[in-house]
Amino acid sequence: MTPLPAGSTIGFLGGGQLGRMTALAARSMGYDIQVLDPEANCATRPVASRTITARFDDVDAAVDLASQCDVVTLEIEQIHPDVLDAVAARVPLYPGRDAVYIIQDRIRQKEWLKAQQFPLGAFVAAQSAQDVADIVRTHGACIAKSTHGGYDGRGQVRLSEPEQAVDAWSALGSRPCLVEAMVDIYYEISVLVARSPNGATVVYPPSRNHHTSGILTWSVVPAVISDEMTARAQSLARAIAERIGIVGLLAVECFVTKTGELLVNELAPRPHNTYHHSERGLGTSQFEQLVRAVCGLPLGDPSVFAPSAIVNLLGDVWLQDAAPDVTSALNVPGTRLHLYGKAGARAGRKMGHLSAIGTDSQDALGRVLESYRRLSPGTVASFDVQEPVLKHISS
Ligand code: ATP
Ligand code: MG
């Protein structure tokens, strides 16, 4: 592919914070931006030359976007397949329809991973409340997930008794859902892979991630895990990216169990919250990397140049009696505040993040968590932001 010259236009399906940060990277490389999002005041709007306000199943609106763009990418997988087809018929669409189609349905994604023999925890596609009850009887504690539209722990119900199945089934809309046995997680990692249209591939160092109630709290890189696990996770992620034929980015979320098993949790064909630190300490941020990939430029170096960490800022931070103490937070050396420009703080809604670089992973994580505790002392009790000791995990 001939690289797209500066001045070309990149279209974004989805204009949330991932689109915004990618668009900022694209702008600094000289590209123009247009975006399609259902929300008129989406986070990418201030960075885009044109914003089309339309749903992700609006084929005419998507054709309108494609008609003024040289390439189209996406920052959310919940795009109707007809929209993906209509865009791809007019301009290059990266990632392509097939990868997004597999990933956008949780059951389809898990069944594809299973058919390709990638390592997974036990799961069942439940067709009824009775199925859910049977799975819980067989596996014990489970987590039921809606097939579409779930994120940040939404669209998920945890259950430990078969009697809870009826409520779980109706909470998820009385529709087929994915039910997974609860994995006995030792720690969580993710691996980001970038792939260009000519098949060149770059694999990032794994990120170590911590969630509270299904929402990402913090991520740090390097992950402080063994070289052996690093190599295993990277080769797994590379194999999945190649098999699914991603062009752009693929984030592979993984669980490592207490017995040393490496399991795939889920895939994301776009920038990922667990790699926001790549903007601080790695040779090439995930946002710049996506731009490079879809524009046919050489992929950048993903190496760690400074250990770095992030902590998410949810709407809860702005719902306290006291305003966030930005001055105190930014007095922690090495930190930066990233806000997504979203109006309307709601509990659990991602509004921004703090990042920090440090001398090692423990130091970077310590700095960013200290910055968070200063920013929002009122939310510390409900959000797990105490500093863990990142001892080297050798399994
Ligand atoms: P996100 O959008 O933040 O990636 P999500 O809504 O897509 O989240 P998942 O990744 O499926 O949801 O789950 C969120 C978190 O919940 C996981 O990172 C993990 O901490 C926990 N979790 C999910 N599935 C399981 C499981 N089968 N066993 C144990 N914990 C799980
Ligand atoms: Mg997830």
Side-chain angles (χ1 to χ4, degrees):
M1 170 183 175
T2 316
L4 282 183
S8 303
T9 302
I10 307 173
F12 285 73
L13 293 165
Q17 64 266 22
L18 303 174
R20 175 188 173 100
M21 290 184 275
T22 309
L24 286 165
R27 281 278 187 211
S28 69
M29 296 165 79
Y31 294 109
D32 197 9
I33 302 299
Q34 296 199 10
V35 62
L36 182 155
D37 193 272
E39 219 183 289
N41 280 321
C42 65
T44 308
R45 185 184 190 102
V47 195
S49 296
R50 184 165 80 122
T51 303
I52 300 172
T53 305
R55 287 161 43 127
F56 294 134
D57 59 1
D58 186 333
V59 171
D60 293 340
V63 168
D64 182 18
L65 176 81
S67 71
Q68 295 191 20
C69 293
D70 299 291
V71 64
V72 171
T73 187
L74 50 88
E75 58 114 55
I76 180 167
E77 48 273 33
Q78 299 306 328
I79 309 287
H80 197 284
D82 291 348
V83 163
L84 298 172
D85 286 338
V87 169
R90 282 157 184 86
V91 282
L93 170 72
Y94 302 129
R97 179 215 203 261
D98 293 352
V100 178
Y101 182 73
I102 291 168
I103 292 171
Q104 67 182 199
D105 179 302
R106 279 188 196 275
I107 292 176
R108 203 182 291 139
Q109 180 190 138
K110 273 270 149 80
E111 284 178 345
W112 181 85
L113 286 163
K114 185 177 175 187
Q116 306 296 320
Q117 300 186 311
F118 291 115
L120 300 170
F123 73 92
V124 179
Q127 305 297 324
S128 65
Q130 187 58 47
D131 283 354
V132 178
D134 290 346
I135 299 155
V136 176
R137 233 170 256 120
T138 311
H139 292 288
C142 284
I143 179 160
K145 304 180 178 181
S146 60
T147 54
H148 282 79
Y151 64 99
D152 296 344
R154 278 171 252 192
Q156 301 195 353
V157 181
R158 294 176 185 217
L159 58 173
S160 51
E161 308 292 337
E163 292 70 36
Q164 296 168 301
V166 169
D167 285 348
W169 177 256
S170 68
L172 295 180
S174 304
R175 276 191 289 268
C177 61
L178 177 73
V179 186
E180 300 176 5
M182 283 304 277
V183 173
D184 194 11
I185 298 173
Y186 185 21
Y187 58 90
E188 290 190 58
I189 53 176
S190 50
V191 180
L192 185 72
V193 181
R195 235 172 128 249
S196 38
N198 67 10
T201 304
V202 152
V203 184
Y204 278 71
S207 172
R208 177 102 159 261
N209 312 318
H210 181 72
H211 294 75
T212 311
S213 313
I215 305 184
L216 182 72
T217 308
W218 55 254
S219 287
V220 66
V221 67
V224 201
I225 56 176
S226 67
D227 292 345
E228 189 271 329
M229 184 58 80
T230 298
R232 233 196 319 159
Q234 287 183 316
S235 82
L236 173 64
R238 177 192 286 272
I240 295 172
E242 287 174 352
R243 198 77 58 84
I244 210 164
I246 208 79
V247 174
L249 300 177
L250 182 76
V252 180
E253 298 180 17
C254 298
F255 300 141
V256 179
T257 68
K258 292 185 177 136
T259 53
E261 271 184 299
L262 175 68
L263 305 175
V264 178
N265 172 28
E266 61 168 349
L267 310 177
R270 52 167 169 79
H272 198 257
N273 195 172
T274 60
Y275 276 87
H276 289 355
H277 45 41
S278 62
E279 204 174 20
R280 298 298 313 280
L282 306 196
T284 311
S285 82
Q286 61 171 342
F287 309 113
E288 176 184 340
Q289 196 73 283
L290 177 57
V291 176
R292 284 176 177 243
V294 305
C295 292
L297 293 166
L299 296 178
D301 180 1
S303 313
V304 179
F305 287 85
S308 27
I310 62 120
V311 58
N312 272 334
L313 301 178
L314 304 182
D316 310 60
V317 168
W318 284 267
L319 299 174
Q320 306 301 304
D321 291 338
D325 189 346
V326 172
T327 302
S328 177
L330 291 183
N331 269 328
V332 178
T335 54
R336 188 187 290 173
L337 174 64
H338 311 245
L339 292 177
Y340 308 147
K342 294 182 183 175
R346 291 191 301 275
R349 186 179 194 206
K350 288 175 183 167
M351 305 295 287
H353 63 276
L354 288 164
S355 65
I357 51 173
T359 52
D360 59 18
S361 296
Q362 184 74 56
D363 183 48
L365 184 59
R367 288 175 195 235
V368 80
L369 292 177
E370 169 61 16
S371 182
Y372 181 90
R373 292 188 294 264
R374 291 185 185 197
L375 182 81
S376 184
T379 60
V380 164
S382 56
F383 204 46
D384 187 7
V385 287
Q386 296 317 311
E387 192 179 335
V389 179
L390 278 184
K391 46 184 189 313
H392 188 88
I393 296 178
S394 51
S395 62

